[in-house]
Amino acid sequence: GPVNVGVCNTLLSELLCLPQSLVRPLATVVHKKTGGIIMFIIRLLSSLNDKGDLRYSFNDRRWTYDLEEISVKEVYDDVVSLMTDNMKNLSPKMMFGLKVAACLGSKFNAQVIDKIKKDDEIEDTFLQECINLGFLRMSGDTCVWQHDQIQQAAYNLIPSSNRDSFHLMIGSRLFMATSASEMKNLLFSIVDNMNMGQCLITEQERKDELAELNLDAGEKALRQSAFESCSKYILTGLSLLGQDSWKTKYDLTLKLHEAASEALFVTGDH
């Protein structure tokens, strides 16, 4: 699992043969960028060395680093690529679970995985294994990715050509498995995933269904003062309506247009 900043400091001190007091500023930055994942730490140090931000000075006869330059840099892409490659060595069921979890955002309710999986696609021990591997941590009933780059590495397991269909599958399964009383907590996860796969929906009846879900999501976002998100959901809902929606779906069409006017007024895009 991930290590704390103190352990990270000790590790860097031993690797660079420098006093802990001298590497503490570097350890703080490295820990923040890697989430304390040992694999990320080692790979990041290697990347910093390759790019000259961490180098051995023959004049000073010790390792030196450019803290200011390191602080402003993003975690390098090859760190994420390394994690993705390592994830590919896991079992197919673990990889499938990671793909699903990566599509649920930076945090999600632990029970959502059970709603999405069918039969034995994902092992019952999946979440515990993710915790043991340092991918996730628990906060009550909520699963939280240890680092956004770990989530990105898991997401990269999904071939780019399959991502629309994968998101649509997740959103559809979650929608079918969610009761009316649970919908308020899972609405955004359902709609966000279905929207990412909306280009694959051809039947107007299903488009209308998704348009109504976007209306619900937009209204919820508006109540939370998330005006940009509200506007996005409402405009997506409008785009899903059929050409004759004023005849076939009058109430839904009217509500979406009224909501669009309110959202655009609030965001200043009217």
Side-chain angles (χ1 to χ4, degrees):
V3 299
N4 61 38
V5 68
V7 174
C8 181
N9 189 48
T10 301
L11 176 64
L12 265 60
S13 174
E14 293 178 356
L15 286 173
L16 302 178
C17 299
L18 292 172
Q20 291 193 20
S21 59
L22 200 58
V23 297
R24 189 167 290 114
L26 177 62
T28 301
V29 172
V30 168
H31 187 270
K32 182 178 181 180
K33 289 183 177 293
T34 63
I37 307 299
I38 295 292
M39 187 185 304
F40 274 21
I41 293 172
I42 301 300
R43 189 59 183 175
L44 179 58
L45 292 176
S46 177
S47 294
L48 292 172
N49 180 229
D50 290 342
K51 299 178 190 307
D53 297 320
L54 175 66
R55 57 197 174 277
Y56 187 81
S57 170
F58 288 98
N59 291 333
D60 298 330
R61 288 190 288 183
R62 69 175 180 84
W63 286 92
T64 61
Y65 56 87
D66 186 339
L67 186 64
E68 184 176 348
E69 187 66 23
I70 294 171
S71 297
V72 299
K73 286 191 174 180
E74 296 294 326
V75 174
Y76 300 113
D77 291 340
D78 55 352
V79 177
V80 178
S81 298
L82 176 73
M83 179 62 83
T84 300
D85 288 341
N86 284 328
M87 287 176 174
K88 289 178 180 177
N89 294 323
L90 298 171
S91 70
K93 291 182 180 181
M94 272 295 294
M95 284 196 291
F96 184 78
L98 285 169
K99 294 175 188 177
V100 170
C103 294
L104 296 175
S106 59
K107 57 185 178 180
F108 54 91
N109 187 280
Q111 297 179 346
V112 172
I113 297 290
D114 289 333
K115 290 181 177 295
I116 294 171
K117 73 177 183 180
K118 285 189 174 181
D119 302 323
D120 59 347
E121 284 178 328
I122 303 173
E123 297 284 6
D124 293 338
T125 57
F126 167 71
L127 291 177
Q128 187 57 54
E129 287 187 55
C130 285
I131 293 170
N132 294 342
L133 289 167
F135 297 157
L136 297 171
R137 63 178 173 84
M138 297 300 298
S139 177
D141 292 331
T142 302
C143 302
V144 183
W145 287 99
Q146 287 282 11
H147 196 280
D148 57 358
Q149 300 295 342
I150 300 178
Q151 181 188 358
Q152 184 60 50
Y155 188 73
N156 288 350
L157 290 170
I158 310 170
S160 56
S161 59
N162 295 346
R163 286 175 186 171
D164 290 348
S165 59
F166 200 84
H167 279 290
L168 184 59
M169 176 200 72
I170 289 174
S172 299
R173 286 188 183 184
L174 193 52
F175 175 63
M176 295 297 293
T178 300
S179 66
S181 61
E182 297 171 314
M183 183 60 71
K184 63 180 181 180
N185 294 324
L186 297 176
L187 181 61
F188 290 150
S189 291
I190 292 170
V191 177
D192 288 344
N193 276 286
M194 292 186 74
N195 281 350
M196 293 186 75
Q198 63 172 290
C199 60
L200 301 175
I201 301 175
T202 55
E203 303 89 350
Q204 188 56 51
E205 184 177 353
R206 289 194 66 197
K207 289 184 178 182
D208 291 341
E209 188 177 70
L210 182 53
E212 191 153 2
L213 286 172
N214 271 280
L215 174 62
D216 293 341
E219 290 176 339
K220 179 178 178 179
L222 185 62
R223 289 193 297 272
Q224 296 177 349
S225 299
F227 302 121
E228 294 294 337
S229 293
C230 169
S231 179
K232 179 190 69 174
Y233 288 126
I234 297 302
L235 293 177
T236 299
L238 284 170
S239 72
L240 289 162
L241 294 175
Q243 292 184 344
D244 59 348
S245 65
W246 282 109
K247 293 181 179 179
T248 59
K249 288 287 181 180
Y250 179 84
D251 288 344
L252 175 60
T253 304
L254 180 62
K255 288 178 181 178
L256 278 167
H257 277 89
E258 289 177 342
S261 297
E262 183 175 1
L264 293 176
F265 178 81
V266 172
T267 57
D269 292 333
H270 56 288

